[in-house]
Amino acid sequence: MSVTLNRTRHTKPKNPARYTKLRRTLRSMARNWDLYLLLVPVLAYFIIFHYAPMYGVQIAFRRYSIRKGIMGSQWVGMAHFNRFFQSYYFERLLVNTLTISLYNLALGFPLPILLALLLNEVTSKRYKKLVQTITYAPHFLSAVVLVSIINAMFSTSTGIINNLIVLMGGEKVAFTTEPKIFKSLYVLSGVWQNMGWNSIIYMAALSGIDPTLYEAGRVDGASRWQMLWRITLPCLAPTICIMLILQCGRLMSLGYEKIYLMQNDLNIAASEVISTYVYKSGLINAEYSFSTAVGLFNSVINCILLFTVNFITGKLSDTRIF
């Protein structure tokens, strides 16, 4: 009996390294408790506004009634999902959402990188600040103001673009009502609005590159183009990979405000996407369960894209989020 007790007392942890690391972490947290206390409001925000509302996701699997509440509503399983998948507008919504998202990714992702690289080569601080101010300013325009500018510029009656086309001998084009032009108008206006703002993180990454690398390149006789390819882009690559993963993680989340404001009866075949459909179904038609199911489907696709791109990027460049 005594032998058994002694063995029990002197039993070592199965993983000493992990146990030691845990103790060090707890001691560090105890020493810096005031710094960890600053995380409480942030954690409370995410718990209250992001994790707690996930309780309502089950509305997508119920025939929700405000009178009966969530738990009192009838459970219908995948009925709302099947209704969405079998509807005649499912293919159109999916194609429009993917087309606009990929179009936006193809233009909106590389252009801020290019702008940051160009600004990084500018030696005049005054000119650099001027360009940054001009390119950052459109980001602060609301969707309503931006769409109003688009309608004013591309109007067939008083729009400056159509007036220039007429002066050059052409015919007026209905930019805001033509379905074939809608996607380009939406994406290009978004690139113009956000290109400067999105370049800030790349400018920050470029400012963190060790200047001695460039000095060594100059000593070795490297040109500016060679230093761009051999020094700047490799140092910027981890940031580009992280931003690409995050961008792909919200590929299907276009937001409904701007698209909804640009919609009309003539371009709706090209402008109706999942986010606008959820808005109309949930808030306008009061189909809460159905709109929640469609939104949940959209979120699941985004989650799958996030994990997929994160895995591929980690395999190719050893850079990943998790």
Side-chain angles (χ1 to χ4, degrees):
M1 184 70 178
S2 60
V3 175
T4 304
L5 290 174
N6 290 334
R7 286 181 179 178
T8 306
R9 289 174 184 174
H10 298 286
T11 300
K12 295 182 179 180
K14 294 182 180 180
N15 195 334
R18 181 179 298 178
Y19 179 73
T20 304
K21 186 177 181 180
L22 177 61
R23 291 185 60 184
R24 290 177 180 174
T25 302
L26 293 176
R27 288 177 182 175
S28 176
M29 293 178 66
R31 287 195 302 268
N32 303 286
W33 64 269
D34 50 345
L35 298 178
Y36 285 96
L37 187 64
L38 296 175
L39 290 175
V40 173
V42 180
L43 292 175
Y45 167 78
F46 280 100
I47 291 173
I48 295 173
F49 295 103
H50 289 270
Y51 286 95
M54 292 177 67
Y55 168 77
V57 170
Q58 60 179 303
I59 294 176
F61 304 94
R62 297 178 180 272
R63 186 171 287 110
Y64 177 67
S65 171
I66 298 178
R67 182 176 59 84
K68 297 180 180 179
I70 295 178
M71 298 305 297
S73 300
Q74 180 185 359
W75 182 271
V76 295
M78 300 294 291
H80 299 299
F81 293 93
N82 293 331
R83 173 189 165 188
F84 178 58
F85 297 150
Q86 296 172 5
S87 61
Y88 72 93
Y89 39 74
F90 170 72
E91 183 178 354
R92 185 179 70 180
L93 291 173
L94 192 61
V95 170
N96 287 341
T97 304
L98 285 174
T99 303
I100 296 176
S101 298
L102 293 175
Y103 191 181
N104 189 45
L105 181 65
L107 286 181
F109 183 74
L111 287 180
I113 302 173
L114 180 60
L115 177 62
L117 292 174
L118 292 175
L119 290 175
N120 189 54
E121 298 296 324
V122 176
T123 55
S124 175
K125 292 184 178 180
R126 181 176 298 180
Y127 179 75
K128 188 175 183 178
K129 289 181 179 180
L130 176 63
V131 174
Q132 286 178 317
T133 302
I134 294 173
T135 55
Y136 295 170
H139 173 76
F140 299 99
L141 297 176
S142 66
V144 176
V145 174
L146 179 60
V147 174
S148 299
I149 293 173
I150 294 172
N151 292 332
M153 290 186 63
F154 293 94
S155 173
T156 53
S157 57
T158 59
I160 186 173
I161 303 299
N162 273 307
N163 288 334
L164 289 174
I165 293 175
V166 172
L167 288 175
M168 297 174 63
E171 296 182 357
K172 292 184 177 181
V173 180
F175 290 98
T176 57
T177 59
E178 181 61 43
K180 295 180 180 179
I181 303 178
F182 174 82
K183 292 183 175 66
S184 297
L185 192 62
Y186 174 84
V187 172
L188 292 175
S189 62
V191 170
W192 170 77
Q193 183 183 20
N194 298 311
M195 180 174 64
W197 183 260
N198 292 338
S199 67
I200 293 177
I201 191 167
Y202 300 110
M203 292 292 297
L206 289 171
S207 64
I209 298 176
D210 190 355
T212 58
L213 296 175
Y214 293 106
E215 294 176 2
R218 295 189 192 97
V219 171
D220 292 338
S223 63
R224 301 185 74 173
W225 183 257
Q226 289 173 329
M227 286 191 289
L228 174 66
W229 280 103
R230 302 294 182 180
I231 299 175
T232 306
L233 287 179
C235 293
L236 196 61
T239 304
I240 294 175
C241 291
I242 295 298
M243 295 304 296
L244 178 63
I245 295 172
L246 295 175
Q247 188 78 11
C248 291
R250 54 177 182 267
L251 191 66
M252 301 283 288
S253 301
L254 291 173
Y256 72 91
E257 300 94 344
K258 182 182 172 184
I259 295 183
Y260 185 72
L261 291 170
M262 294 178 66
Q263 271 185 0
N264 52 61
D265 293 336
L266 298 177
N267 66 16
I268 195 150
S271 62
E272 187 77 323
V273 294
I274 293 178
S275 57
T276 57
Y277 184 73
V278 169
Y279 171 76
K280 293 175 183 178
S281 300
L283 296 182
I284 297 178
N285 299 331
E287 295 181 290
Y288 304 115
S289 295
F290 179 68
S291 60
T292 303
V294 178
L296 181 60
F297 164 76
N298 198 32
S299 300
V300 170
I301 298 298
N302 279 332
C303 186
I304 293 173
L305 289 172
L306 175 65
F307 279 92
T308 303
V309 177
N310 182 70
F311 176 78
I312 295 173
T313 307
K315 289 293 183 181
L316 296 178
S317 62
D318 293 331
T319 302
R320 61 179 69 190
I321 297 178
F322 45 84

